[in-house]
Amino acid sequence: MPMPRVLRLRDHEIALGVTVLAFIPPLAALGGEFGDLPRRPADALAVLLVLGQTVPLAVRGRWPALCLAVTGIAFAVHESMGYPQNIAAIGLYIALYSVGSLQNRHRMALAIAATAAYVAFAAVLAWLGSPDRMLDSAVFYVALAAWWLLGAFVRRRRQDEVERRRLAELAAAADERARIARELHDVVTHHVTAMVVQADAAQFVSEPAEALTAISGSGRLALRELRHLLDVLEATGAAGTVAELVEQTRAGGQPVELIEDGDRGSVNPGVELALYRVVQEALTNAVKYAAGSRTVVRVGRTPDAVDVEVTTAESRLHPEAQGGGRGLDGLRERVAKVGGSLEAGPRADGGFVVSARIPTGSG
C-alpha cells in the first residue's frame, strides 16, 4: 500500500541526513563498536557497506522488512570485516524501530528470522576470534530488541487511537440515530395528536369545512417536517418557526397567544431547533391534557440566551389523548445537549408551565 507523500519525503530526509553524518569525519566515529575484531582501514567496500546501512532508510515506511534486511546484512558484514566504527550503525536501530511500528504482515516470522540471523552473526564473530563473551552478545541483542519493542509500542498506541476514533464514530452515529428518532417522535406525536383532536371536534362545530381545513393543514405541516428530516438528517435548521407552530395549533381549536420579546438577530440552527421543539412539545401537551384552555407562549431573546415559557390556564387529562413516549424527559435531554435547562410542572392556580433557557453561545 503506497505511503503518503509526506511520509516518503520524511524517510528520504532521514536517509540523507544519516548518510551525510556518516561521511563527516568528526561525527562518523561516534558509532558503536561490536565484536572488537582487529580494525582495518576503510576502503571502497567500507563505503558501500556504510551506504548499505543508511540508504535503505529511504524505503523504511513502504518496505520496513526489506529495509531491515539490507541494513542488517550491511551492518553484519561491516563489523565482521573489522572496518572502523561508524555512526551509520544507527540505521540498523531505525530499521528495527520501523519494523516494529510499520510492519503489518508476518511479524512473528520476521522476529524469528531476525533472531536467527543475529545468532548466526554472533557465531561468525566468535569464529573470527572476537573476544566478546556470550553475555556481551546477549546484552547487545536486548538493546537491538528494545528498538523493535519501542516500535511495537508505538504501533499499539496508534492502533488504540484508531480504535478509539472508530468507537467514537460509532457512538456519534448512534447519537445521530437517537436524535433522528426524537425528531420523528416530536413531529409525529404533535401533528397526529392535533389531527385526532381536530377530527374529534369536527362533529361538534357548525362549520365542518374549517375543521377539515385545519386537519389538512396539520397533515401538510407534518409531511413538510418529515421531508426535512429525511432529506437533511441533521439539525441544520428548525423545521419551522414558532409563529407558524402557534398559528397551526390555534387553527386546530386551541386558544394560543404568542408573545415575543427581543431581537432574533443571527439564527443559531441548534438553538432555534431546540426552541421549536420545546414549544412543540408544550403545545402538544396542552392539546392533549388541556384542550380548549388558554395557552400562552412567551419567547424572550437576549444576546446570551433564549428564554421560552409555555403556560396553560388549567391542566386536565384529555380522555382521547392518553399515551406514552419520551415527552418532557426527551425534551430535557435535547435542551441539555445545547447547554440549556428545562423545567416543567403544575402552577399554584391549577395550570401547567414549561420553561426553558437555551444559551445562544454568543455571550
Side-chain angles (χ1 to χ4, degrees), residues 210-242:
E210 295 182 4
L212 293 176
T213 300
I215 295 173
S216 176
S218 296
R220 289 192 177 93
L221 186 55
L223 289 174
R224 188 183 74 178
E225 293 191 30
L226 287 172
R227 290 192 190 100
H228 174 85
L229 290 173
L230 296 177
D231 290 342
V232 181
L233 292 183
E234 61 181 355
T236 56
T241 66
V242 172

PDB file of all heavy atoms in Angstrom, residues 210-242:
ATOM      1  N   GLU A 210     -64.111  24.085   8.021  1.00  0.00           N
ATOM      2  CA  GLU A 210     -62.980  24.713   8.699  1.00  0.00           C
ATOM      3  C   GLU A 210     -62.160  23.683   9.455  1.00  0.00           C
ATOM      4  O   GLU A 210     -60.906  23.736   9.465  1.00  0.00           O
ATOM      5  CB  GLU A 210     -63.482  25.795   9.657  1.00  0.00           C
ATOM      6  CG  GLU A 210     -64.154  26.970   8.956  1.00  0.00           C
ATOM      7  CD  GLU A 210     -64.591  28.031   9.948  1.00  0.00           C
ATOM      8  OE1 GLU A 210     -64.293  27.848  11.158  1.00  0.00           O
ATOM      9  OE2 GLU A 210     -65.203  29.036   9.531  1.00  0.00           O
ATOM     10  N   ALA A 211     -62.848  22.728  10.098  1.00  0.00           N
ATOM     11  CA  ALA A 211     -62.122  21.676  10.818  1.00  0.00           C
ATOM     12  C   ALA A 211     -61.317  20.817   9.868  1.00  0.00           C
ATOM     13  O   ALA A 211     -60.174  20.443  10.144  1.00  0.00           O
ATOM     14  CB  ALA A 211     -63.107  20.816  11.615  1.00  0.00           C
ATOM     15  N   LEU A 212     -61.944  20.504   8.704  1.00  0.00           N
ATOM     16  CA  LEU A 212     -61.211  19.693   7.716  1.00  0.00           C
ATOM     17  C   LEU A 212     -59.997  20.458   7.180  1.00  0.00           C
ATOM     18  O   LEU A 212     -58.940  19.866   6.917  1.00  0.00           O
ATOM     19  CB  LEU A 212     -62.148  19.309   6.568  1.00  0.00           C
ATOM     20  CG  LEU A 212     -63.283  18.348   6.936  1.00  0.00           C
ATOM     21  CD1 LEU A 212     -64.196  18.128   5.748  1.00  0.00           C
ATOM     22  CD2 LEU A 212     -62.712  17.005   7.411  1.00  0.00           C
ATOM     23  N   THR A 213     -60.150  21.754   7.010  1.00  0.00           N
ATOM     24  CA  THR A 213     -59.021  22.565   6.549  1.00  0.00           C
ATOM     25  C   THR A 213     -57.884  22.540   7.576  1.00  0.00           C
ATOM     26  O   THR A 213     -56.699  22.455   7.222  1.00  0.00           O
ATOM     27  CB  THR A 213     -59.468  24.007   6.295  1.00  0.00           C
ATOM     28  OG1 THR A 213     -60.493  24.012   5.287  1.00  0.00           O
ATOM     29  CG2 THR A 213     -58.292  24.868   5.844  1.00  0.00           C
ATOM     30  N   ALA A 214     -58.240  22.637   8.865  1.00  0.00           N
ATOM     31  CA  ALA A 214     -57.220  22.590   9.917  1.00  0.00           C
ATOM     32  C   ALA A 214     -56.509  21.243   9.932  1.00  0.00           C
ATOM     33  O   ALA A 214     -55.288  21.163  10.085  1.00  0.00           O
ATOM     34  CB  ALA A 214     -57.857  22.860  11.283  1.00  0.00           C
ATOM     35  N   ILE A 215     -57.305  20.159   9.772  1.00  0.00           N
ATOM     36  CA  ILE A 215     -56.698  18.822   9.730  1.00  0.00           C
ATOM     37  C   ILE A 215     -55.759  18.702   8.533  1.00  0.00           C
ATOM     38  O   ILE A 215     -54.651  18.167   8.635  1.00  0.00           O
ATOM     39  CB  ILE A 215     -57.790  17.735   9.673  1.00  0.00           C
ATOM     40  CG1 ILE A 215     -58.605  17.750  10.971  1.00  0.00           C
ATOM     41  CG2 ILE A 215     -57.179  16.358   9.436  1.00  0.00           C
ATOM     42  CD1 ILE A 215     -59.807  16.826  10.935  1.00  0.00           C
ATOM     43  N   SER A 216     -56.203  19.211   7.387  1.00  0.00           N
ATOM     44  CA  SER A 216     -55.361  19.174   6.197  1.00  0.00           C
ATOM     45  C   SER A 216     -54.079  19.971   6.404  1.00  0.00           C
ATOM     46  O   SER A 216     -52.986  19.545   5.999  1.00  0.00           O
ATOM     47  CB  SER A 216     -56.133  19.730   5.000  1.00  0.00           C
ATOM     48  OG  SER A 216     -55.314  19.791   3.849  1.00  0.00           O
ATOM     49  N   GLY A 217     -54.191  21.124   7.081  1.00  0.00           N
ATOM     50  CA  GLY A 217     -53.001  21.924   7.350  1.00  0.00           C
ATOM     51  C   GLY A 217     -52.026  21.204   8.266  1.00  0.00           C
ATOM     52  O   GLY A 217     -50.808  21.257   8.051  1.00  0.00           O
ATOM     53  N   SER A 218     -52.558  20.522   9.278  1.00  0.00           N
ATOM     54  CA  SER A 218     -51.690  19.754  10.168  1.00  0.00           C
ATOM     55  C   SER A 218     -50.972  18.649   9.409  1.00  0.00           C
ATOM     56  O   SER A 218     -49.778  18.395   9.611  1.00  0.00           O
ATOM     57  CB  SER A 218     -52.507  19.144  11.314  1.00  0.00           C
ATOM     58  OG  SER A 218     -53.073  20.156  12.128  1.00  0.00           O
ATOM     59  N   GLY A 219     -51.683  17.981   8.530  1.00  0.00           N
ATOM     60  CA  GLY A 219     -51.074  16.911   7.742  1.00  0.00           C
ATOM     61  C   GLY A 219     -49.982  17.430   6.831  1.00  0.00           C
ATOM     62  O   GLY A 219     -48.910  16.826   6.707  1.00  0.00           O
ATOM     63  N   ARG A 220     -50.234  18.557   6.174  1.00  0.00           N
ATOM     64  CA  ARG A 220     -49.219  19.119   5.281  1.00  0.00           C
ATOM     65  C   ARG A 220     -47.966  19.546   6.055  1.00  0.00           C
ATOM     66  O   ARG A 220     -46.838  19.354   5.598  1.00  0.00           O
ATOM     67  CB  ARG A 220     -49.796  20.308   4.516  1.00  0.00           C
ATOM     68  CG  ARG A 220     -50.815  19.940   3.446  1.00  0.00           C
ATOM     69  CD  ARG A 220     -51.111  21.131   2.555  1.00  0.00           C
ATOM     70  NE  ARG A 220     -52.026  20.767   1.499  1.00  0.00           N
ATOM     71  CZ  ARG A 220     -53.358  20.894   1.570  1.00  0.00           C
ATOM     72  NH1 ARG A 220     -53.901  21.404   2.688  1.00  0.00           N
ATOM     73  NH2 ARG A 220     -54.129  20.538   0.567  1.00  0.00           N
ATOM     74  N   LEU A 221     -48.181  20.155   7.226  1.00  0.00           N
ATOM     75  CA  LEU A 221     -47.037  20.577   8.021  1.00  0.00           C
ATOM     76  C   LEU A 221     -46.238  19.370   8.496  1.00  0.00           C
ATOM     77  O   LEU A 221     -44.998  19.388   8.524  1.00  0.00           O
ATOM     78  CB  LEU A 221     -47.515  21.407   9.219  1.00  0.00           C
ATOM     79  CG  LEU A 221     -46.419  22.049  10.085  1.00  0.00           C
ATOM     80  CD1 LEU A 221     -45.490  22.910   9.234  1.00  0.00           C
ATOM     81  CD2 LEU A 221     -47.038  22.857  11.210  1.00  0.00           C
ATOM     82  N   ALA A 222     -46.940  18.306   8.873  1.00  0.00           N
ATOM     83  CA  ALA A 222     -46.247  17.078   9.291  1.00  0.00           C
ATOM     84  C   ALA A 222     -45.415  16.515   8.149  1.00  0.00           C
ATOM     85  O   ALA A 222     -44.269  16.101   8.346  1.00  0.00           O
ATOM     86  CB  ALA A 222     -47.257  16.054   9.790  1.00  0.00           C
ATOM     87  N   LEU A 223     -45.992  16.474   6.952  1.00  0.00           N
ATOM     88  CA  LEU A 223     -45.246  15.970   5.795  1.00  0.00           C
ATOM     89  C   LEU A 223     -44.024  16.833   5.496  1.00  0.00           C
ATOM     90  O   LEU A 223     -42.957  16.333   5.136  1.00  0.00           O
ATOM     91  CB  LEU A 223     -46.160  15.912   4.571  1.00  0.00           C
ATOM     92  CG  LEU A 223     -47.244  14.822   4.587  1.00  0.00           C
ATOM     93  CD1 LEU A 223     -48.162  14.978   3.387  1.00  0.00           C
ATOM     94  CD2 LEU A 223     -46.602  13.433   4.598  1.00  0.00           C
ATOM     95  N   ARG A 224     -44.177  18.151   5.637  1.00  0.00           N
ATOM     96  CA  ARG A 224     -43.049  19.039   5.379  1.00  0.00           C
ATOM     97  C   ARG A 224     -41.911  18.775   6.356  1.00  0.00           C
ATOM     98  O   ARG A 224     -40.739  18.703   5.969  1.00  0.00           O
ATOM     99  CB  ARG A 224     -43.494  20.496   5.490  1.00  0.00           C
ATOM    100  CG  ARG A 224     -42.409  21.481   5.042  1.00  0.00           C
ATOM    101  CD  ARG A 224     -42.849  22.916   5.223  1.00  0.00           C
ATOM    102  NE  ARG A 224     -42.830  23.305   6.630  1.00  0.00           N
ATOM    103  CZ  ARG A 224     -43.145  24.531   7.062  1.00  0.00           C
ATOM    104  NH1 ARG A 224     -43.550  25.444   6.205  1.00  0.00           N
ATOM    105  NH2 ARG A 224     -43.101  24.813   8.335  1.00  0.00           N
ATOM    106  N   GLU A 225     -42.243  18.589   7.636  1.00  0.00           N
ATOM    107  CA  GLU A 225     -41.208  18.327   8.632  1.00  0.00           C
ATOM    108  C   GLU A 225     -40.564  16.965   8.413  1.00  0.00           C
ATOM    109  O   GLU A 225     -39.350  16.795   8.589  1.00  0.00           O
ATOM    110  CB  GLU A 225     -41.802  18.420  10.036  1.00  0.00           C
ATOM    111  CG  GLU A 225     -42.246  19.831  10.405  1.00  0.00           C
ATOM    112  CD  GLU A 225     -42.584  19.960  11.878  1.00  0.00           C
ATOM    113  OE1 GLU A 225     -41.976  19.222  12.681  1.00  0.00           O
ATOM    114  OE2 GLU A 225     -43.444  20.776  12.230  1.00  0.00           O
ATOM    115  N   LEU A 226     -41.377  15.975   8.043  1.00  0.00           N
ATOM    116  CA  LEU A 226     -40.810  14.649   7.792  1.00  0.00           C
ATOM    117  C   LEU A 226     -39.864  14.678   6.594  1.00  0.00           C
ATOM    118  O   LEU A 226     -38.801  14.048   6.612  1.00  0.00           O
ATOM    119  CB  LEU A 226     -41.932  13.634   7.560  1.00  0.00           C
ATOM    120  CG  LEU A 226     -42.736  13.234   8.799  1.00  0.00           C
ATOM    121  CD1 LEU A 226     -43.929  12.371   8.404  1.00  0.00           C
ATOM    122  CD2 LEU A 226     -41.853  12.482   9.790  1.00  0.00           C
ATOM    123  N   ARG A 227     -40.241  15.399   5.545  1.00  0.00           N
ATOM    124  CA  ARG A 227     -39.335  15.519   4.393  1.00  0.00           C
ATOM    125  C   ARG A 227     -38.045  16.213   4.801  1.00  0.00           C
ATOM    126  O   ARG A 227     -36.956  15.857   4.340  1.00  0.00           O
ATOM    127  CB  ARG A 227     -40.021  16.318   3.273  1.00  0.00           C
ATOM    128  CG  ARG A 227     -41.165  15.589   2.598  1.00  0.00           C
ATOM    129  CD  ARG A 227     -41.578  16.312   1.327  1.00  0.00           C
ATOM    130  NE  ARG A 227     -42.810  15.762   0.785  1.00  0.00           N
ATOM    131  CZ  ARG A 227     -43.999  16.304   0.938  1.00  0.00           C
ATOM    132  NH1 ARG A 227     -44.132  17.432   1.621  1.00  0.00           N
ATOM    133  NH2 ARG A 227     -45.068  15.733   0.409  1.00  0.00           N
ATOM    134  N   HIS A 228     -38.161  17.216   5.655  1.00  0.00           N
ATOM    135  CA  HIS A 228     -36.981  17.928   6.145  1.00  0.00           C
ATOM    136  C   HIS A 228     -36.032  16.965   6.852  1.00  0.00           C
ATOM    137  O   HIS A 228     -34.823  16.969   6.618  1.00  0.00           O
ATOM    138  CB  HIS A 228     -37.412  19.044   7.093  1.00  0.00           C
ATOM    139  CG  HIS A 228     -36.263  19.740   7.769  1.00  0.00           C
ATOM    140  ND1 HIS A 228     -35.575  20.770   7.192  1.00  0.00           N
ATOM    141  CD2 HIS A 228     -35.685  19.529   8.977  1.00  0.00           C
ATOM    142  CE1 HIS A 228     -34.627  21.189   8.012  1.00  0.00           C
ATOM    143  NE2 HIS A 228     -34.670  20.448   9.111  1.00  0.00           N
ATOM    144  N   LEU A 229     -36.589  16.111   7.722  1.00  0.00           N
ATOM    145  CA  LEU A 229     -35.745  15.170   8.460  1.00  0.00           C
ATOM    146  C   LEU A 229     -35.110  14.146   7.542  1.00  0.00           C
ATOM    147  O   LEU A 229     -33.926  13.832   7.657  1.00  0.00           O
ATOM    148  CB  LEU A 229     -36.589  14.460   9.532  1.00  0.00           C
ATOM    149  CG  LEU A 229     -37.032  15.320  10.718  1.00  0.00           C
ATOM    150  CD1 LEU A 229     -37.992  14.538  11.591  1.00  0.00           C
ATOM    151  CD2 LEU A 229     -35.829  15.763  11.525  1.00  0.00           C
ATOM    152  N   LEU A 230     -35.887  13.600   6.633  1.00  0.00           N
ATOM    153  CA  LEU A 230     -35.371  12.551   5.763  1.00  0.00           C
ATOM    154  C   LEU A 230     -34.387  13.081   4.743  1.00  0.00           C
ATOM    155  O   LEU A 230     -33.469  12.367   4.335  1.00  0.00           O
ATOM    156  CB  LEU A 230     -36.545  11.857   5.054  1.00  0.00           C
ATOM    157  CG  LEU A 230     -37.517  11.116   5.983  1.00  0.00           C
ATOM    158  CD1 LEU A 230     -38.675  10.542   5.185  1.00  0.00           C
ATOM    159  CD2 LEU A 230     -36.808  10.012   6.740  1.00  0.00           C
ATOM    160  N   ASP A 231     -34.542  14.329   4.320  1.00  0.00           N
ATOM    161  CA  ASP A 231     -33.642  14.896   3.325  1.00  0.00           C
ATOM    162  C   ASP A 231     -32.339  15.390   3.945  1.00  0.00           C
ATOM    163  O   ASP A 231     -31.260  15.195   3.403  1.00  0.00           O
ATOM    164  CB  ASP A 231     -34.315  16.051   2.582  1.00  0.00           C
ATOM    165  CG  ASP A 231     -35.427  15.558   1.657  1.00  0.00           C
ATOM    166  OD1 ASP A 231     -35.435  14.356   1.345  1.00  0.00           O
ATOM    167  OD2 ASP A 231     -36.271  16.381   1.275  1.00  0.00           O
ATOM    168  N   VAL A 232     -32.426  16.027   5.094  1.00  0.00           N
ATOM    169  CA  VAL A 232     -31.258  16.659   5.690  1.00  0.00           C
ATOM    170  C   VAL A 232     -30.549  15.744   6.675  1.00  0.00           C
ATOM    171  O   VAL A 232     -29.336  15.616   6.678  1.00  0.00           O
ATOM    172  CB  VAL A 232     -31.669  17.980   6.387  1.00  0.00           C
ATOM    173  CG1 VAL A 232     -30.467  18.663   6.991  1.00  0.00           C
ATOM    174  CG2 VAL A 232     -32.360  18.889   5.397  1.00  0.00           C
ATOM    175  N   LEU A 233     -31.322  15.059   7.548  1.00  0.00           N
ATOM    176  CA  LEU A 233     -30.801  14.140   8.559  1.00  0.00           C
ATOM    177  C   LEU A 233     -29.777  14.804   9.470  1.00  0.00           C
ATOM    178  O   LEU A 233     -28.871  14.184   9.983  1.00  0.00           O
ATOM    179  CB  LEU A 233     -30.177  12.898   7.910  1.00  0.00           C
ATOM    180  CG  LEU A 233     -31.154  11.961   7.219  1.00  0.00           C
ATOM    181  CD1 LEU A 233     -30.405  10.747   6.686  1.00  0.00           C
ATOM    182  CD2 LEU A 233     -32.262  11.527   8.138  1.00  0.00           C
ATOM    183  N   GLU A 234     -29.902  16.096   9.631  1.00  0.00           N
ATOM    184  CA  GLU A 234     -29.064  16.786  10.584  1.00  0.00           C
ATOM    185  C   GLU A 234     -29.736  18.101  10.937  1.00  0.00           C
ATOM    186  O   GLU A 234     -30.514  18.633  10.165  1.00  0.00           O
ATOM    187  CB  GLU A 234     -27.659  17.053  10.038  1.00  0.00           C
ATOM    188  CG  GLU A 234     -27.650  17.934   8.809  1.00  0.00           C
ATOM    189  CD  GLU A 234     -26.251  18.150   8.291  1.00  0.00           C
ATOM    190  OE1 GLU A 234     -25.310  17.689   8.961  1.00  0.00           O
ATOM    191  OE2 GLU A 234     -26.101  18.767   7.240  1.00  0.00           O
ATOM    192  N   ALA A 235     -29.387  18.604  12.119  1.00  0.00           N
ATOM    193  CA  ALA A 235     -30.057  19.803  12.610  1.00  0.00           C
ATOM    194  C   ALA A 235     -29.443  21.053  12.017  1.00  0.00           C
ATOM    195  O   ALA A 235     -28.742  21.822  12.671  1.00  0.00           O
ATOM    196  CB  ALA A 235     -29.982  19.872  14.136  1.00  0.00           C
ATOM    197  N   THR A 236     -29.669  21.278  10.735  1.00  0.00           N
ATOM    198  CA  THR A 236     -29.152  22.485  10.093  1.00  0.00           C
ATOM    199  C   THR A 236     -30.124  23.648  10.209  1.00  0.00           C
ATOM    200  O   THR A 236     -29.807  24.761   9.836  1.00  0.00           O
ATOM    201  CB  THR A 236     -28.882  22.213   8.609  1.00  0.00           C
ATOM    202  OG1 THR A 236     -30.083  21.742   7.982  1.00  0.00           O
ATOM    203  CG2 THR A 236     -27.800  21.173   8.444  1.00  0.00           C
ATOM    204  N   GLY A 237     -31.280  23.398  10.760  1.00  0.00           N
ATOM    205  CA  GLY A 237     -32.244  24.476  10.927  1.00  0.00           C
ATOM    206  C   GLY A 237     -33.526  23.924  11.485  1.00  0.00           C
ATOM    207  O   GLY A 237     -33.775  22.734  11.434  1.00  0.00           O
ATOM    208  N   ALA A 238     -34.345  24.758  12.061  1.00  0.00           N
ATOM    209  CA  ALA A 238     -35.601  24.300  12.624  1.00  0.00           C
ATOM    210  C   ALA A 238     -36.550  23.898  11.518  1.00  0.00           C
ATOM    211  O   ALA A 238     -36.463  24.366  10.391  1.00  0.00           O
ATOM    212  CB  ALA A 238     -36.223  25.415  13.464  1.00  0.00           C
ATOM    213  N   ALA A 239     -37.477  22.986  11.856  1.00  0.00           N
ATOM    214  CA  ALA A 239     -38.430  22.506  10.859  1.00  0.00           C
ATOM    215  C   ALA A 239     -39.451  23.571  10.511  1.00  0.00           C
ATOM    216  O   ALA A 239     -40.161  23.437   9.528  1.00  0.00           O
ATOM    217  CB  ALA A 239     -39.126  21.249  11.387  1.00  0.00           C
ATOM    218  N   GLY A 240     -39.551  24.624  11.272  1.00  0.00           N
ATOM    219  CA  GLY A 240     -40.490  25.704  11.019  1.00  0.00           C
ATOM    220  C   GLY A 240     -40.225  26.816  12.012  1.00  0.00           C
ATOM    221  O   GLY A 240     -39.223  26.803  12.719  1.00  0.00           O
ATOM    222  N   THR A 241     -41.103  27.795  12.073  1.00  0.00           N
ATOM    223  CA  THR A 241     -40.954  28.871  13.043  1.00  0.00           C
ATOM    224  C   THR A 241     -41.971  28.682  14.154  1.00  0.00           C
ATOM    225  O   THR A 241     -42.999  28.017  13.990  1.00  0.00           O
ATOM    226  CB  THR A 241     -41.163  30.238  12.382  1.00  0.00           C
ATOM    227  OG1 THR A 241     -42.536  30.347  11.960  1.00  0.00           O
ATOM    228  CG2 THR A 241     -40.240  30.401  11.178  1.00  0.00           C
ATOM    229  N   VAL A 242     -41.670  29.298  15.294  1.00  0.00           N
ATOM    230  CA  VAL A 242     -42.595  29.222  16.426  1.00  0.00           C
ATOM    231  C   VAL A 242     -43.929  29.855  16.066  1.00  0.00           C
ATOM    232  O   VAL A 242     -45.006  29.357  16.442  1.00  0.00           O
ATOM    233  CB  VAL A 242     -41.968  29.898  17.657  1.00  0.00           C
ATOM    234  CG1 VAL A 242     -42.994  30.011  18.784  1.00  0.00           C
ATOM    235  CG2 VAL A 242     -40.740  29.118  18.128  1.00  0.00           C
TER     236      VAL A 242
END
